[in-house]
Amino acid sequence: MVEEENIRVVRCGGSELNFRRAVFSADSKYIFCVSGDFVKVYSTVTEECVHILHGHRNLVTGIQLNPNNHLQLYSCSLDGTIKLWDYIDGILIKTFIVGCKLHALFTVAQAEDSVFAIVNKEKPDIFQLVSVKLPKSSSQEVEAKELSFVLDYINQSPKCIAFGNEGVYVAAVREFYLSVYFFKKKTTSRFTLSSSRNKKHAKNNFTCVACHPTEDCIASGHMDGKIRLWRNFYDDKKYTYTCLHWHHDMVMDLAFSVTGTSLLSGGRESVLVEWRDATEKNKEFLPRLGATIEHISVSPAGDLFCTSHSDNKIIIIHRNLEASAVIQGLVKDRSIFTGLMIDPRTKALVLNGKPGHLQFYSLQSDKQLYNLDIIQQEYINDYGLIQIELTKAAFGCFGNWLATVEQRQEKETELELQMKLWMYNKKTQGFILNTKINMPHEDCITALCFCNAEKSEQPTLVTASKDGYFKVWILTDDSDIYKKAVGWTCDFVGSYHKYQATNCCFSEDGSLLAVSFEEIVTIWDSVTWELKCTFCQRAGKIRHLCFGRLTCSKYLLGATENGILCCWNLLSCALEWNAKLNVRVMEPDPNSENIAAISQSSVGSDLFVFKPSEPRPLYIQKGISREEVQWGVFVPRDVPESFTSEAYQWLNRSQFYFLTKSQSLLTFSTKSPEEKLTPTSKQLLAEESLPTTPFYFILGKHRQHQDEKLNETLENELVQLPLTENIPAVSELLHTPAHVLPSAAFLCSMFVNSLLLSKETKSAKEIPEDVDMEEEKESEDSDEENDFIEKVQDTNNTGLGEDIIHQLSKSEEKELRKFRKIDYSWIAAL
Amino acid sequence: MAGYKPVAIQTYPILGEKITQDTLYWNNYKTPVQIKEFGAVSKVDFSPQPPYNYAVTASSRIHIYGRYSQEPIKTFSRFKDTAYCATFRQDGRLLVAGSEDGGVQLFDISGRAPLRQFEGHTKAVHTVDFTADKYHVVSGADDYTVKLWDIPNSKEILTFKEHSDYVRCGCASKLNPDLFITGSYDHTVKMFDARTNTSVLSVEHGQPVESVLLFPSGGLLVSAGGRYVKVWDMLKGGQLLVSLKNHHKTVTCLCLSSSGQRLLSGSLDRKVKVYSTTSYKVVHSFDYAASILSLALAHEDETIVVGMTNGILSVKHRKSEAKKESIPRRRRPAYRTFIKGKNYMKQRDDILINRPAKKHLELYDRDLKHFRISKALDRVLDPTCTIKTPEITVSIIKELNRRGVLANALAGRDEKEISHVLNFLIRHLSQPRFAPVLINAAEIIIDIYLPVIGQSPVVDKKFLLLQGLVEKEIDYQRELLETLGMMDMLFATMRRKEGTSVLEHTSDGFPENKKIES
């Protein structure tokens, strides 16, 4: 059933939600935030993602409500377009092509037909605020080249621009000055703060600006934590300002409430401060928001605030400063030490999350499931503090145990190390701390692994450390007559010539333990803890170590820092083969013999999938990412795929996910864009999708057949096929209960007709080439394949004009679509 | 959002005896009262009825003591030779005792002369007991016989001659008037039924049996002999349930606690051990000055009486429950409002909504929550805290260091305050569990207060003390390292031998190298 296309690298969720200020809908029911190339619409009550607005080809950099129609949303992107959306239905209404990179978007109610945007036209680091006139036109795509320049030399960030007092003036801050441009007078006033080198004024830099909605008052945030309220700025001489100072670190964002009575500010302290009546005395706090506040926004209705945080989170806060909802994406604030893991129970991706937490992230629903507080200490958000870091974690015994290691190293000699073992409690459905081990080793722990053999009666954990030892920890019964208790104790300490232990790994059946000591790999019997044999290749320190699985369990693989991948045979105790490969990530597939290795070269990262028994790799993909790949993991599939081609067989049982240095989570996908739908869009299409009835099999086969034929005739794979789901006749046929259907004889012709229609598309060779090219490009760039959605939207759009779509015969509809297609291309050609 | 997380106080395992409910219970006795008897105390028996007097058999006398009296309230001394095993009847009004000359005498508690004398044994009678119907007496003697006597007409009813050695212990069932048990030096414990002429059950203890005990239900039998205490399941026909070997000398006496949950055994090794009767693990142990011969517990475990070979009777009374009758505080009228609805009982259809329990924060946590770092440090440097719970002080110092404000908190202290800090450092710096944190704190203090050194003789003295301490510690460490080096050398020589032997063993070509340190 699965079409076999090329394996492509796809970004899978986890994009930044905190890149720009979130925007509330007029009724505060929805909140919009930019998320990579999309705009996401969340419900403020349920925290669920309602729509994903697909369409931009590059990073979305700004969103604003249409001031003239509060059911519409403008968005701008680095691809040089401004799009207008109907967010209730998730439909793209219009696209305005500006042509240059847009970095931010502002709308003002008074300027009816124009919006403001930050562009950089000439030099890459000089940004200008321009007004973009949006021409009125009924067509879908409109050129909007009429830019009028407003301010020059401004900061790139939209936080440094604010429109005030019903669009009378615009304030912009950069470094040490505040410039105010009055639209009526067309003059600019500039106010400069002293930037002398002395300590007092050294951190006077402006960081953000906000304008009072009704009065002539500008609030500016500064590097040193001060907030200045500027008044009387019409006059260059008589201007005044007052200072509010509570933040001890840079003010990250400011926002006035709708009525202007209170000012909200936030910063690294992760405390939302509400200044009432702009006085220093009247302030309220909402502390412990978890991470640095990056943006603050206020709903137009005035009942909600929201703060975007550096840990990829949006908190919706009620007017009375009570957090009411949290929209949490994949936390990508900090470096990932633990690597990617899969929780055997929930099949969730597990990695470092909030400071001191382990996050469980559902890959299927692109949503954080929960955070497990590992360090359990108050997090002090201060610059330059050395925090306790969660460095290692491992799941064992089918998810019953979780081992975590946290460390804090202030100086070379002062190391705080703690290992915690968590037991899964079925009653509370969560992990409960069982054992805490202080200083399990004298030096940093380099590796941690559980013995995951199925028949092992006693849970066993091995830790390897830089202090030259590896320790075996076992679960022992600690109970007496008063209570039942189990705890972990050290069972064995091993070392090899005082070399640093760098990796450890259990064989699949748990009978052997491999521990690498710098260049040497030692094999230990896991019953007697006796050293069985050693392997040494003298090819640099071992970076990765893993045993083969299933039929390849007699092989041991090691990747060294000098770029050698070695495979040893454990039966003959000899090197089976080695290869020159600078392996960064090596991950065995838990469901097959395959091992994925990602190598790093100056050009980019390459993927090799191989079986230890065969020197020839199963699959090679060059250039999977331009940056360094840090971690990878195989995620077992719920439903195995059935690729027949040899190159794709490795994806049958598991899917490979990897994380690059810039913390984007990527995976490999073979599915055609139509098939891979995000869950939300699936939801939207639930009505239209076919139920699995006998009809489905007929239709499904039919479609496949069509596709094959099409592929023969048309070189292009991404031709717009009328999917059976979209044929009204068929969906009607399948959705109507059998007892109310007209006779089969009557339906037959309709049904056959509807199927025949697809033949006409075969003749649709006129579909211009460049459209397809664009789509192809997009499918490569975009995170989630959205062609299908777009197509659905397209049909809806045509339906908007003529609501008699269901009465139209299928061929007519097709004709219409073709017409539209041709139009489209014409405009594009212009 | 998430609330304030209190500082994690590092807990350290408490060395020595674990504190459990049992240790608390069994340690809750006053210091023992010592009473000197004329000879080794062979038997102590409590009257089952109030006022719970107890009879002490020592030498040729039987003393009856009251609960709190240290002088005997009554003495039976009409024995020609050593008396044995003075035992109360269930109603506490009669007392029976055996003697060295083979006689068994029955006394009325209020009388002086024996009521009955049962003659028939030819040798010393070491064990006597009343049967459950109160009208018969069982006796076992060194002439290997067990006899059943009728009290009203002082006649011998039955004689069992099944033991092949001295019969030294026995007891009658509390439920069945016909059943009784005897233990003998022939290593057996036998159960006799007065309705038959032979023993109905016999178990092999393995050592000369010194003491037997029946559980109140009669289902379990405990026998002591040699170093062993064995528990037998009578309902399974005398199957061995568990064999306990916790003493290192002969176990001489057994006793059950009043609740039946604990079994006590006294031994010649001068220890009394307390076992749980569910798991048969030792939960507590007492030490005494001499070898223990007899042991008895009063009603409700109020008193433990132990008789020893040196004739000392040790009586321990339970501490009276601290009944602090708190003066009923005067309630303000607001109290009624406060308590209103608190005592409302949930009705059948009511849905109870619990208010989240308010998290109680320690005072230092409250200070830390509000970033009052110096105040938090002051609080934990208070002598009450530093002496009782130094780990809290260390944890707070660690937390302040983690927050990067330890120097701020330590700075700006006057002479008295800084000497508090230094006192704490001097006391705990050398403890390995606190050392990493405190050395860091000491360094910071030295950095801060170096410029003002020499201004206060008190502080200077403390600094000198600290210096001495550090020097001493360095010396210790050096010595330890030297010792370690010596030991390493010894181990190295031993390991070489072992290594060669291993190489000889594995001739299958494995490149073997072995080194195990544990």
Side-chain angles (χ1 to χ4, degrees):
Chain A
M1 295 289 288
V2 182
E3 296 173 52
E4 292 186 6
E5 296 181 20
N6 286 331
I7 295 182
R8 293 167 308 112
V9 179
V10 189
R11 213 182 299 163
C12 55
S15 50
E16 277 186 353
L17 301 174
N18 58 351
F19 181 59
R20 288 288 187 253
R21 276 181 195 150
V23 174
F24 281 98
S25 67
D27 54 0
S28 305
K29 268 189 186 165
Y30 300 106
I31 185 166
F32 314 103
C33 60
V34 301
S35 164
D37 300 358
F38 312 128
V39 178
K40 286 191 175 173
V41 184
Y42 287 95
S43 160
T44 53
V45 183
T46 63
E47 311 169 13
E48 286 294 322
C49 181
V50 184
H51 288 295
I52 297 175
L53 307 179
H54 303 260
H56 282 292
R57 309 263 160 86
N58 206 335
L59 201 64
V60 180
T61 49
I63 43 174
Q64 289 293 336
L65 280 184
N66 185 354
N68 305 317
N69 181 352
H70 61 76
L71 294 178
Q72 292 177 344
L73 181 78
Y74 281 115
S75 69
C76 76
S77 156
L78 289 183
D79 65 1
T81 57
I82 296 171
K83 286 181 193 270
L84 184 64
W85 308 86
D86 175 354
Y87 61 80
I88 304 257
D89 298 326
I91 299 168
L92 175 64
I93 299 171
K94 253 181 199 177
T95 304
F96 301 97
I97 300 165
V98 180
C100 51
K101 281 189 178 181
L102 301 169
H103 290 277
L105 182 75
F106 305 94
T107 54
V108 178
Q110 282 68 33
E112 274 175 12
D113 53 350
S114 58
V115 294
F116 297 89
I118 297 179
V119 297
N120 60 333
K121 271 197 156 171
E122 293 124 26
K123 287 177 194 166
D125 53 342
I126 292 175
F127 295 91
Q128 298 165 324
L129 181 70
V130 293
S131 152
V132 183
K133 188 153 168 58
L134 300 177
K136 282 195 173 136
S137 160
S138 56
S139 63
Q140 276 270 316
E141 293 205 8
V142 188
E143 294 262 332
K145 298 280 186 194
E146 203 177 312
L147 306 182
S148 55
F149 160 84
V150 179
L151 273 173
D152 205 349
Y153 293 105
I154 56 165
N155 210 323
Q156 181 190 359
S157 163
K159 285 195 280 192
C160 298
I161 300 280
F163 287 81
N165 203 358
E166 295 162 348
V168 173
Y169 57 88
V170 56
V173 294
R174 186 186 161 101
E175 288 166 6
F176 293 99
Y177 58 82
L178 162 74
S179 27
V180 183
Y181 177 80
F182 300 97
F183 287 101
K184 291 240 175 80
K185 291 191 277 178
K186 300 212 183 284
T187 53
T188 310
S189 317
R190 181 171 283 198
F191 312 98
T192 312
L193 286 179
S194 63
S195 57
S196 57
R197 295 270 162 190
N198 71 18
K199 220 176 176 184
K200 202 179 163 195
H201 302 297
K203 292 169 98 185
N204 258 343
N205 312 39
F206 285 89
T207 54
C208 53
V209 70
C211 290
H212 197 283
T214 51
E215 291 168 30
D216 284 336
C217 171
I218 298 172
S220 64
H222 298 264
M223 205 68 156
D224 55 357
K226 276 186 187 141
I227 299 165
R228 287 188 170 84
L229 292 168
W230 303 76
R231 288 196 174 82
N232 265 346
F233 42 80
Y234 290 101
D235 197 325
D236 275 359
K237 304 262 161 49
K238 285 189 199 157
Y239 72 90
T240 56
Y241 65 76
T242 52
C243 256
L244 302 174
H245 199 174
W246 179 84
H247 294 277
H248 75 267
D249 211 326
M250 163 180 168
V251 180
M252 294 293 279
D253 202 6
L254 287 170
F256 275 101
S257 67
V258 176
T259 51
T261 49
S262 62
L263 173 69
L264 298 158
S265 68
R268 198 193 293 279
E269 304 88 354
S270 48
V271 178
L272 182 70
V273 187
E274 184 183 6
W275 307 83
R276 299 246 164 98
D277 311 319
T279 49
E280 196 136 77
K281 273 182 201 163
N282 279 343
K283 51 183 187 284
E284 301 273 324
F285 303 102
L286 180 62
R288 275 180 279 281
L289 291 174
T292 307
I293 296 176
E294 300 261 356
H295 305 279
I296 302 171
S297 41
V298 177
S299 76
D303 56 341
L304 295 175
F305 307 135
C306 87
T307 50
S308 309
H309 295 262
S310 59
D311 62 351
N312 210 5
K313 166 175 75 178
I314 296 173
I315 300 181
I316 297 164
I317 296 161
H318 204 257
R319 184 72 192 79
N320 56 5
L321 290 188
E322 264 176 30
S324 67
V326 180
I327 298 164
Q328 174 82 64
L330 183 68
V331 181
K332 297 202 288 192
D333 188 18
R334 323 165 77 244
S335 45
I336 305 293
F337 296 108
T338 57
L340 303 178
M341 284 171 297
I342 296 297
D343 176 18
R345 277 177 194 277
T346 57
K347 301 280 180 289
L349 188 72
V350 181
L351 63 160
N352 280 124
K354 290 198 292 183
H357 288 64
L358 211 55
Q359 63 175 326
F360 288 66
Y361 182 81
S362 165
L363 288 165
Q364 279 76 33
S365 57
D366 185 18
K367 198 174 146 189
Q368 198 185 55
L369 296 178
Y370 69 98
N371 268 313
L372 180 65
D373 188 358
I374 300 290
I375 291 177
Q376 297 181 332
Q377 279 193 32
E378 182 77 356
Y379 182 71
I380 304 296
N381 214 335
D382 205 349
Y383 181 75
L385 267 190
I386 298 160
Q387 305 284 2
I388 305 177
E389 295 289 352
L390 176 63
T391 54
K392 290 272 178 279
F395 284 98
C397 311
F398 316 103
N400 279 333
W401 288 97
L402 167 68
T404 57
V405 175
E406 58 208 58
Q407 73 171 44
R408 178 177 183 273
Q409 191 155 26
E410 197 157 339
K411 291 174 213 157
E412 195 71 11
T413 50
E414 288 172 19
L415 177 75
E416 289 169 31
L417 201 61
Q418 202 165 49
M419 183 159 81
K420 284 177 180 163
L421 288 131
W422 307 75
M423 187 163 74
Y424 187 80
N425 188 321
K426 278 189 185 133
K427 211 181 262 174
T428 57
Q429 296 283 307
F431 284 97
I432 288 176
L433 184 61
N434 177 272
T435 309
K436 203 154 71 172
I437 299 162
N438 245 340
M439 294 304 284
H441 283 275
E442 298 297 309
D443 208 338
C444 305
I445 288 181
T446 52
L448 188 68
C449 76
F450 273 99
C451 174
N452 277 336
E454 271 173 41
K455 60 173 170 46
S456 67
E457 65 283 348
Q458 194 171 37
T460 311
L461 171 74
V462 172
T463 54
S465 161
K466 275 189 188 168
D467 64 358
Y469 296 102
F470 73 90
K471 290 189 182 178
V472 180
W473 308 84
I474 52 164
L475 185 68
T476 49
D477 194 9
D478 205 18
S479 50
D480 50 20
I481 62 162
Y482 308 104
K483 60 177 194 321
K484 276 215 159 127
V486 285
W488 290 78
T489 46
C490 187
D491 185 43
F492 176 74
V493 182
S495 70
Y496 188 81
H497 290 295
K498 302 274 184 216
Y499 288 128
Q500 291 186 352
T502 51
N503 279 296
C504 59
C505 175
F506 269 104
S507 67
E508 196 190 7
D509 59 353
S511 62
L512 290 178
L513 168 72
V515 184
S516 67
F517 291 94
E518 294 180 11
E519 296 189 340
I520 299 152
V521 182
T522 56
I523 308 289
W524 305 73
D525 185 345
S526 71
V527 180
T528 56
W529 299 118
E530 224 173 291
L531 184 68
K532 284 284 177 199
C533 62
T534 57
F535 299 113
C536 178
Q537 218 53 46
R538 293 283 165 212
K541 286 188 185 174
I542 306 283
R543 192 187 275 158
H544 298 286
L545 194 66
C546 75
F547 277 96
R549 286 177 179 275
L550 305 173
T551 56
C552 299
S553 52
K554 61 177 175 179
Y555 297 103
L556 174 70
L557 289 141
T560 68
E561 278 181 353
N562 292 5
I564 307 281
L565 178 66
C566 302
C567 177
W568 292 283
N569 189 330
L570 293 168
L571 297 179
S572 62
C573 290
L575 185 72
E576 191 85 2
W577 52 266
N578 65 356
K580 186 118 184 79
L581 199 62
N582 183 19
V583 177
R584 285 283 147 163
V585 173
M586 186 161 75
E587 275 292 322
D589 182 356
N591 289 337
S592 67
E593 297 97 341
N594 301 328
I595 288 171
I598 293 177
S599 77
Q600 170 74 22
S601 63
S602 54
V603 191
S605 301
D606 308 324
L607 172 82
F608 298 85
V609 182
F610 58 92
K611 274 186 189 175
S613 55
E614 289 172 42
R616 193 175 58 86
L618 290 171
Y619 180 76
I620 301 175
Q621 177 142 1
K622 296 260 181 197
I624 53 168
S625 161
R626 252 168 263 125
E627 28 178 13
E628 192 183 317
V629 175
Q630 282 192 318
W631 304 100
V633 72
F634 272 104
V635 181
R637 284 185 200 274
D638 291 337
V639 183
E641 301 279 349
S642 51
F643 298 115
T644 43
S645 147
E646 201 184 337
Y648 306 142
Q649 270 180 4
W650 67 282
L651 283 170
N652 272 353
R653 302 250 188 87
S654 318
Q655 205 170 354
F656 188 67
Y657 286 83
F658 60 96
L659 193 74
T660 60
K661 202 166 186 184
S662 66
Q663 299 194 3
S664 41
L665 188 65
L666 305 166
T667 187
F668 293 96
S669 169
T670 59
K671 287 183 179 172
S672 55
E674 286 84 40
E675 275 176 296
K676 197 177 178 240
L677 293 175
T678 56
T680 44
S681 43
K682 257 183 202 157
Q683 239 170 39
L684 288 172
L685 296 169
E687 288 167 39
E688 282 144 325
S689 67
L690 292 174
T692 45
T693 55
F695 280 117
Y696 171 78
F697 295 108
I698 303 167
L699 292 171
K701 264 183 199 162
H702 184 82
R703 214 183 86 207
Q704 202 179 24
H705 189 60
Q706 277 179 356
D707 289 352
E708 276 166 20
K709 269 202 260 174
L710 271 174
N711 285 342
E712 282 166 21
T713 49
L714 290 172
E715 287 295 306
N716 221 312
E717 295 162 350
L718 288 162
V719 72
Q720 304 240 335
L721 272 177
L723 298 174
T724 37
E725 287 96 320
N726 291 348
I727 302 171
V730 174
S731 66
E732 218 164 339
L733 177 75
L734 295 169
H735 282 269
T736 321
H739 62 277
V740 297
L741 273 180
S743 71
F746 180 77
L747 286 171
C748 183
S749 61
M750 218 170 99
F751 179 65
V752 170
N753 262 334
S754 68
L755 295 178
L756 281 174
L757 284 169
S758 57
K759 280 204 167 173
E760 288 179 26
T761 49
K762 266 165 76 178
S763 62
K765 281 192 176 176
E766 312 94 68
I767 293 173
E769 200 74 345
D770 57 346
V771 173
D772 296 328
M773 284 302 288
E774 263 177 27
E775 273 165 5
E776 205 168 42
K777 218 194 298 168
E778 179 192 324
S779 63
E780 275 168 15
D781 289 350
S782 65
D783 295 7
E784 277 139 278
E785 278 59 42
N786 48 11
D787 291 23
F788 184 39
I789 311 294
E790 230 181 40
K791 221 174 297 156
V792 176
Q793 287 164 0
D794 285 351
T795 51
N796 285 346
N797 286 349
T798 44
L800 278 178
E802 311 119 298
D803 50 343
I804 42 159
I805 184 157
H806 287 280
Q807 276 104 22
L808 285 177
S809 85
K810 200 60 206 171
S811 59
E812 276 174 313
E813 190 195 326
K814 197 64 223 165
E815 282 297 318
L816 269 174
R817 190 182 287 183
K818 220 189 295 170
F819 264 117
R820 206 178 57 70
K821 281 270 132 61
I822 293 160
D823 263 356
Y824 183 98
S825 67
W826 272 74
I827 285 162
L830 278 170
Chain B
M1 296 313 296
Y4 173 83
K5 290 175 200 158
V7 179
I9 304 297
Q10 187 69 51
T11 50
Y12 296 95
I14 301 151
L15 300 174
E17 196 179 20
K18 246 197 213 160
I19 293 173
T20 60
Q21 294 153 326
D22 274 285
T23 52
L24 291 176
Y25 184 82
W26 295 108
N27 281 332
N28 192 21
Y29 285 94
K30 293 177 192 163
T31 42
V33 176
Q34 310 261 357
I35 302 169
K36 179 75 185 153
E37 291 288 337
F38 294 102
V41 181
S42 63
K43 173 82 179 177
V44 180
D45 189 45
F46 270 93
S47 162
Q49 296 299 326
Y52 307 117
N53 295 333
Y54 55 97
V56 176
T57 317
S59 184
S60 61
R61 283 158 205 251
I62 297 167
H63 291 301
I64 311 279
Y65 289 91
R67 198 166 165 195
Y68 295 111
S69 68
Q70 300 197 15
E71 294 295 319
I73 53 174
K74 197 165 180 69
T75 304
F76 299 101
S77 52
R78 304 251 175 115
F79 289 98
K80 295 180 196 99
D81 210 335
T82 316
Y84 294 110
C85 198
T87 309
F88 279 103
R89 200 165 78 167
Q90 288 87 322
D91 58 4
R93 288 164 65 187
L94 293 182
L95 183 82
V96 69
S99 77
E100 186 66 39
D101 59 2
V104 177
Q105 298 187 9
L106 188 73
F107 299 93
D108 189 348
I109 289 300
S110 47
R112 195 160 282 275
L115 282 180
R116 297 277 189 278
Q117 290 206 346
F118 306 110
E119 300 293 340
H121 283 296
T122 52
K123 281 188 178 162
V125 179
H126 274 270
T127 171
V128 284
D129 199 2
F130 290 95
T131 59
D133 61 3
K134 304 190 211 166
Y135 303 123
H136 299 94
V137 168
V138 182
S139 65
D142 284 357
D143 58 3
Y144 310 167
T145 60
V146 177
K147 285 181 194 288
L148 183 70
W149 309 89
D150 186 33
I151 297 175
N153 44 27
S154 67
K155 284 265 177 61
E156 176 187 325
I157 300 173
L158 277 170
T159 304
F160 301 96
K161 292 182 180 170
E162 293 192 24
H163 283 295
S164 54
D165 206 334
Y166 299 157
V167 180
R168 281 290 167 89
C169 54
C171 72
S173 162
K174 298 261 192 318
L175 298 174
N176 191 323
D178 296 316
L179 286 181
F180 53 91
I181 285 160
T182 54
S184 153
Y185 275 11
D186 64 358
H187 301 186
T188 59
V189 177
K190 287 184 194 287
M191 178 180 254
F192 297 100
D193 190 340
R195 292 163 292 194
T196 63
N197 287 332
T198 52
S199 65
V200 289
L201 200 77
S202 174
V203 293
E204 189 68 32
H205 181 79
Q207 275 83 24
V209 183
E210 296 284 353
S211 181
V212 290
L213 185 79
L214 260 179
F215 269 63
S217 64
L220 292 180
L221 166 71
V222 189
S223 63
R227 293 168 58 196
Y228 293 89
V229 173
K230 292 186 178 179
V231 183
W232 311 86
D233 190 344
M234 303 305 282
L235 301 178
K236 278 189 182 172
Q239 195 187 37
L240 180 65
L241 200 65
V242 70
S243 171
L244 308 167
K245 190 185 170 191
N246 295 95
H247 288 284
H248 56 265
K249 275 186 186 168
T250 304
V251 183
T252 53
C253 47
L254 292 170
C255 174
L256 268 182
S257 79
S258 56
S259 63
Q261 299 291 311
R262 298 286 181 267
L263 174 71
L264 286 82
S265 69
S267 153
L268 295 180
D269 65 0
R270 300 185 285 188
K271 279 194 192 331
V272 171
K273 304 241 174 196
V274 183
Y275 309 86
S276 155
T277 53
T278 46
S279 64
Y280 295 103
K281 294 257 165 59
V282 175
V283 293
H284 192 67
S285 146
F286 299 104
D287 282 336
Y288 282 93
S291 299
I292 294 159
L293 286 181
S294 55
L295 167 73
L297 272 179
H299 176 74
E300 297 289 330
D301 302 340
E302 284 298 321
T303 316
I304 301 175
V305 183
V306 166
M308 288 172 275
T309 47
N310 59 358
I312 300 263
L313 188 70
S314 158
V315 184
K316 279 205 269 192
H317 291 290
R318 177 166 287 279
K319 281 178 191 160
S320 55
E321 293 293 315
K323 280 176 194 161
K324 276 177 199 157
E325 288 278 324
S326 58
I327 311 141
R329 278 212 336 260
R330 270 193 58 217
R331 305 285 190 200
R332 294 215 190 124
Y335 180 77
R336 226 176 320 150
T337 338
F338 174 73
I339 206 78
K340 195 175 176 185
K342 287 276 166 71
N343 50 3
Y344 177 77
M345 293 300 285
K346 187 179 167 242
Q347 302 290 308
R348 198 161 54 90
D349 294 331
D350 290 355
I351 297 163
L352 191 71
I353 297 168
N354 283 318
R355 204 177 276 190
K358 204 177 171 191
K359 230 201 295 182
H360 172 73
L361 284 183
E362 296 290 338
L363 289 173
Y364 53 80
D365 267 331
R366 257 181 243 180
D367 288 335
L368 283 177
K369 187 180 172 186
H370 294 108
F371 294 87
R372 295 188 294 250
I373 45 169
S374 292
K375 192 132 183 248
L377 188 63
D378 285 344
R379 228 181 258 283
V380 295
L381 283 173
D382 190 69
T384 51
C385 181
T386 52
I387 290 164
K388 234 177 158 183
T389 51
E391 65 269 14
I392 289 182
T393 314
V394 173
S395 294
I396 296 296
I397 293 175
K398 194 174 166 185
E399 171 71 14
L400 292 176
N401 186 39
R402 190 174 73 84
R403 292 183 175 205
V405 291
L406 183 57
N408 300 8
L410 285 170
R413 285 167 184 272
D414 60 18
E415 185 184 79
K416 200 177 153 198
E417 284 170 335
I418 193 67
S419 60
H420 269 317
V421 184
L422 287 172
N423 278 340
F424 182 74
L425 288 180
I426 289 162
R427 184 174 296 148
H428 295 289
L429 190 69
S430 56
Q431 291 188 28
R433 54 187 186 170
F434 299 146
V437 178
L438 293 186
I439 286 172
N440 183 29
E443 278 171 1
I444 291 173
I445 288 177
I446 291 167
D447 285 348
I448 294 172
Y449 293 97
L450 200 64
V452 293
I453 218 154
Q455 289 181 8
S456 152
V458 182
V459 174
D460 290 354
K461 211 171 129 193
K462 294 262 155 67
F463 270 119
L464 285 176
L465 248 159
L466 195 65
Q467 191 190 3
L469 193 76
V470 171
E471 277 166 6
K472 214 156 74 182
E473 194 60 30
I474 290 170
D475 282 344
Y476 281 144
Q477 293 291 338
R478 190 180 299 124
E479 276 175 41
L480 279 173
L481 277 176
E482 279 169 12
T483 320
L484 204 66
M486 285 183 236
M487 281 164 71
D488 270 352
M489 204 143 74
L490 288 173
F491 280 130
T493 53
M494 283 163 71
R495 191 177 301 123
R496 189 169 302 146
K497 280 175 204 158
E498 193 183 303
T500 50
S501 70
V502 165
L503 276 180
E504 280 161 15
H505 262 289
T506 54
S507 53
D508 46 350
F510 275 56
E512 184 116 2
N513 207 331
K514 183 168 169 163
K515 183 180 175 191
I516 296 163
E517 284 189 16
S518 54

